[in-house]
Amino acid sequence: MAEHKYAQVRDHLLRRVSGLPVGGQLPAEAALCEEYAVSRITLRRAVDDLVNDGYLIRQHGKGTFVSRPRYALKHRERFVSEVTGFFTQMTRQGHAVTSEVLTQKRTRAGSRLAAALDISPAAPVVRLERLRRVNGVTHHLAESFVAEERFPDVLGADFTATSLYAHLRAHHDVVLTRNEIVVGLHTCDGREAHLLDVADGSPLLLATSTVFDLERRPVVHGTSKFLPESAELSFDILADAD
């Protein structure tokens, strides 16, 4: 519940500061705690996020002020305990996200996907590949796989203006609670270079992830290939309560 409240305060503060001029001052911490009915710890965590992203700046002894984002051209995907996905995170920040669906077809799982999705290697999966843009600018190439037996409607759904995660929540009541991610570098091939409008052989930031539901069953396995100059990945590490 505290994690959910923190995310709500952060998102509301982001919308709030987006409507203020650079140099505008936030109310005092005590006033914001009272307004949002949260503790100082929760409020400071939300404000810290916006400071780290460059939307706010603290001036010792004076207060917290609206700043210009240092990452004006970089769109940060944040991986926290609440798995929301790139589309939701960016639209919450006021960006327009669109997807060009490049591939949406049935294929055989094979051994690698079978292990990731806990299905038979012979089972059919839906492969969804999208070129994603933020505010009209190419951002990354995303490839996702889901088990067709569990989510057959993914094969025919329209993902040009919505996300796979949102579709699973709306049509299958799937709550995504865990995201296992491996981050590395990837050298793009000719096709990827053409799609992302970069030179063949350019380095890309590669995130490979498997997302799980409340029952700890794997739901989506996929990769995202980001342009380093326009993307960042941010992780919040939460200590186990035990």
Side-chain angles (χ1 to χ4, degrees), residues 116-117 165 178-181 208-212 218-222:
L117 293 174
Y165 291 0
R178 178 173 150 220
N179 197 353
E180 291 186 352
I181 305 155
T208 302
S209 70
T210 304
V211 185
F212 297 80
V219 177
V220 182
H221 179 76

Side-chain angles (χ1 to χ4, degrees), residues 94-155:
H95 300 292
V97 181
T98 56
S99 298
E100 179 183 348
V101 178
L102 304 174
T103 305
Q104 190 171 6
K105 67 178 185 180
R106 177 189 299 111
T107 188
R108 180 178 173 274
S111 58
R112 181 179 62 84
L113 284 172
L117 293 174
D118 193 22
I119 57 178
S120 165
V125 294
V126 179
R127 178 188 176 215
L128 179 63
E129 183 185 33
R130 293 157 292 167
L131 183 64
R132 313 196 81 171
R133 297 182 174 90
V134 179
N135 302 326
V137 179
T138 298
H139 189 269
H140 73 274
L141 188 62
E143 184 179 38
S144 304
F145 296 88
V146 298
E148 185 184 21
E149 181 179 7
R150 187 177 179 190
F151 307 112
D153 55 320
V154 170
L155 190 60

Side-chain angles (χ1 to χ4, degrees), residues 84-103:
T84 56
F86 179 82
F87 182 93
T88 298
Q89 291 178 39
M90 291 300 104
T91 52
R92 280 180 177 176
Q93 294 177 29
H95 300 292
V97 181
T98 56
S99 298
E100 179 183 348
V101 178
L102 304 174
T103 305

